[in-house]
Amino acid sequence: MIAPLALGLALGATAAWFVPHPSASGQSAAHSAPPAVPTAPFALPSWSWRESATPPTLAADSASSAIVAWHALRAPDGRPADFATRADALRALLLRLPLTSFPRFLAPLVGAKLSEDDRSLRQIAFSTWIESDPSSAATWALASGPDQQDLARQAVSTWSSRDPRAAAVWACALPDQETARRFAALTLPALAALDSTQALALASARGDAFLDQLLPDLLTTLAKTDPATALRTYGPRVWKNGGGFWRLRQPLGEWAARDPAAAIAWIVAQPSKDRGEMGQWLGELAQNNAQRNLVATALATQPGVPNRQSALGNMLSRWANQDPVEALAWLDTLSDRNLRIAILERSANITYSDHPERTLPLALAMPEGANRSDRLGQLLSQWATKDAPAALAWLRDNASAPGVAAASDSVRSTLLATIARDEPATAVAEWQALPEGPLKTKAISTITAAWGQTDPAAALQWSTAQSKNDYPSSELVYTWARKDGPAALQWAESISEPNIRSYALNALAGNWQDKAPRAATADLYAQIKDPAVRTQFVTQHVQEWQTRDPAAAKSWLAAHPDLGIKN
């Protein structure tokens, strides 16, 4: 490996030192140097890019030679230099490279098949160019082909932040309509913040279709200063019978934060194909907790609001998911009891919650009855998948609240199953604390199924000890047999009830379509202690085996003459 020299590029000697080593055969295209520019040897003063001020820029000929040298950088044994050496050398070169030389330097680093190292080195160089001349960098990247679109976007973003007028004029003048639209979407919002009239004029100059594609981004910027004027003037072009609501959501949120009544009235006045969606649109107006009090109060009190209950129910459900205390505090301000109940009932129809435990207070605020119990059950079931022990603790702490007992009956077995996957001992302890009855009996199968995913032997032994007359899970029996056939067989033989014992022995082999290797199952059945039962199961298995692979079945029988099974 070459140690980094004074320039980090080893340019302290001559350009000739860097020409490709004659033994470097089979190198990749990414490391091939462009044809060397014949120049006289040149020397550069010794300095370190890490420690020194920027030195004078290279002259054109010296820059060309330095570029050739960097692309041909080799280790002493002729192999390409490693990434650290190349990166160290590149940073040194970039401090002296004139802006006009960047296209020549980057030309060999264009293409979709570059190595990750070369992509990283190209990014270092391109970022340096962007900092000094983003307009030239953008033009070069766009002209270098579709593989350089990400580089072009980086350059245009920087250019737009520094000179939005020039960047927007350049983007809107690009000959290809789709390319112009993509880069106008990066530049016009920045210009709109500075000069909305010019931004709209540039977008309009390419026709209505071009303007319509860019309007949502422009309105998002314009709405930060005057949302009412922006939406009243241009909002109907984006609205499109309600289909454009989501593209207008942020500008509408800006308006609702300042004047919720006006924003609500504007939405209600717009044409729509499906007025049933009005509740969802109005419920989305508030975009944070600071706005929700204002918007919710306007929705509750403003005359002529369609789908009022739906809108407030949608809003309240999301609000409670983020801040249940504040959501309930607002709900308590409603003097209309019927509206309050209707909102709670509507929020209960929204079944999914990122944080179901936060929405439980909203469910507890519902009137007593089946709806309340159902909503509590839904939320507890969702919570159980995230934190079953916490859900069970909540059930215990709130056992006396109306509707909780009914919800508990419907969800407790699910909670126990969720715990049993990872903490079977805890699940069994919780099960033992249940009162005798249908709920406790039902929970046996759910615990067994979940526990059996990790330990089928323990799960089956526990379940048969609790309900001696129930048939075991055939899937778990088969799973156990595949892990430890002799142990599973011994357990099956120990079952006292004949029909259940026969069922378990059959299950050792699994379903015929996906049985374990036929010979392995036959070997297992051959170990059955009771001769009559052994003959029955071996015969049955071999007969089935013969329908699929008669040669293998015959061979196995021939190897076990002591079983007395006739072919």
Side-chain angles (χ1 to χ4, degrees):
M1 179 189 299
I2 303 175
L5 301 183
L7 282 174
L9 180 60
L11 289 179
T14 65
W17 196 91
F18 295 96
V19 296
H21 195 285
S23 66
S25 60
Q27 63 184 5
S28 68
H31 291 109
S32 299
V37 177
T39 61
F42 66 97
L44 298 174
S46 178
W47 53 271
S48 167
W49 69 270
R50 292 188 184 89
E51 300 168 359
S52 303
T54 304
T57 302
L58 289 169
D61 287 348
S62 295
S64 295
S65 296
I67 289 169
V68 171
W70 185 86
H71 281 289
L73 194 60
R74 296 290 183 271
D77 61 3
R79 290 180 298 177
D82 62 27
F83 176 81
T85 300
R86 295 172 73 204
D88 201 40
L90 173 59
R91 292 187 179 96
L93 172 60
L94 292 175
L95 286 176
R96 300 202 62 180
L97 195 65
L99 293 178
T100 55
S101 296
F102 274 85
R104 175 176 172 79
F105 175 83
L106 290 165
L109 298 176
V110 170
K113 297 183 179 180
L114 292 179
S115 68
E116 287 300 313
D117 282 357
D118 282 340
R119 288 181 182 276
S120 297
L121 293 165
R122 180 183 67 186
Q123 184 61 52
I124 293 171
F126 194 72
S127 296
T128 301
W129 191 11
I130 290 174
E131 286 302 310
S132 299
D133 189 358
S135 61
S136 296
T139 302
W140 172 84
L142 189 59
S144 296
D147 293 331
Q148 315 311 314
Q149 291 295 302
D150 285 343
L151 297 180
R153 280 192 287 272
Q154 293 174 33
V156 170
S157 294
T158 300
W159 185 11
S160 183
S161 68
R162 296 180 184 177
D163 188 353
R165 282 192 175 89
V169 168
W170 172 86
C172 291
L174 292 171
D176 179 71
Q177 183 87 347
E178 178 57 23
T179 304
R181 184 201 62 77
R182 287 201 305 272
F183 288 103
L186 289 175
T187 59
L188 283 177
L191 177 58
L194 185 69
D195 186 341
S196 59
T197 301
Q198 186 180 10
L200 289 165
L202 283 171
S204 300
R206 293 197 72 140
D208 287 346
F210 191 81
L211 174 61
D212 286 344
Q213 288 178 307
L214 295 167
L215 264 179
D217 292 328
L218 289 173
L219 286 176
T220 297
T221 299
L222 297 175
K224 292 177 181 178
T225 54
D226 189 355
T229 300
L231 283 158
R232 285 172 175 150
T233 305
Y234 294 102
R237 293 187 63 157
V238 182
W239 180 260
K240 299 185 184 302
N241 286 321
F245 169 81
W246 298 104
R247 303 184 76 189
L248 290 173
R249 182 171 179 261
Q250 188 169 342
L252 283 166
E254 295 279 357
W255 193 2
R258 305 178 191 202
D259 189 348
I264 292 168
W266 186 86
I267 293 176
V268 171
Q270 302 310 304
S272 59
K273 289 183 178 178
D274 184 0
R275 300 295 286 182
E277 293 184 342
M278 188 65 68
Q280 184 177 13
W281 297 332
L282 294 172
E284 291 284 346
L285 275 179
Q287 297 177 12
N288 54 56
N289 280 355
Q291 296 177 9
R292 284 193 174 106
N293 263 299
L294 290 173
V295 175
T297 300
L299 285 171
T301 58
Q302 187 168 328
V305 175
N307 303 86
R308 188 192 310 274
Q309 297 168 5
S310 175
L312 285 168
N314 290 337
M315 183 181 293
L316 191 69
S317 180
R318 288 192 303 277
W319 195 353
N321 194 39
Q322 296 173 3
D323 191 340
V325 174
E326 188 173 321
L328 283 170
W330 176 84
L331 195 64
D332 286 340
T333 66
L334 287 181
S335 58
D336 186 338
R337 182 176 181 276
N338 290 332
L339 177 60
R340 185 176 187 273
I341 294 173
I343 294 171
L344 284 168
E345 295 287 355
R346 170 59 189 173
S347 68
N349 292 329
I350 302 172
T351 57
Y352 181 76
S353 171
D354 291 335
H355 298 282
E357 72 282 6
R358 296 181 187 174
T359 316
L360 281 167
L362 206 63
L364 288 174
M366 295 173 65
E368 294 183 34
N371 286 347
R372 187 180 202 265
S373 297
D374 289 346
R375 181 58 174 160
L376 287 169
Q378 290 169 357
L379 293 171
L380 287 165
S381 294
Q382 292 171 18
W383 195 9
T385 64
K386 299 174 180 289
D387 191 347
L392 276 171
W394 187 94
L395 278 172
R396 286 194 293 267
D397 293 342
N398 294 273
S400 61
V404 170
S408 172
D409 290 346
S410 66
V411 78
R412 191 175 289 270
S413 61
T414 302
L415 288 166
L416 292 177
T418 303
I419 295 174
R421 282 197 295 268
D422 302 316
E423 300 178 39
T426 302
V428 169
E430 291 285 349
W431 176 83
Q432 289 172 336
L434 292 175
E436 295 298 330
L439 175 63
K440 189 169 187 177
T441 301
K442 178 183 177 182
I444 294 173
S445 59
T446 56
I447 291 173
T448 303
W451 188 0
Q453 294 177 22
T454 54
D455 192 345
L460 283 166
Q461 289 168 339
W462 175 80
S463 66
T464 52
Q466 311 313 317
S467 52
K468 299 182 183 299
N469 295 323
D470 284 349
Y471 286 84
S473 164
S474 60
E475 182 180 354
L476 290 184
V477 173
Y478 177 52
T479 301
W480 185 7
R482 294 180 67 186
K483 290 184 176 182
D484 188 348
L489 173 63
Q490 183 179 3
W491 166 81
E493 288 184 291
S494 71
I495 297 173
S496 57
E497 208 286 318
N499 289 337
I500 298 178
R501 180 174 63 248
S502 179
Y503 178 88
L505 288 170
N506 268 313
L508 292 172
N511 294 323
W512 179 249
Q513 289 77 9
D514 59 356
K515 280 185 178 179
R518 277 35 170 196
T521 301
D523 290 341
L524 186 62
Y525 282 151
Q527 299 173 42
I528 296 175
K529 294 183 175 63
D530 186 309
V533 176
R534 180 175 61 240
T535 299
Q536 173 191 344
F537 277 90
V538 171
T539 301
Q540 175 183 305
H541 179 73
V542 170
Q543 287 175 346
E544 290 178 338
W545 191 1
Q546 286 175 329
T547 65
R548 302 295 181 93
D549 190 349
K554 183 177 181 180
S555 176
W556 187 89
L557 279 176
H560 296 79
D562 54 310
L563 294 176
I565 307 298
K566 295 182 180 180
N567 188 3

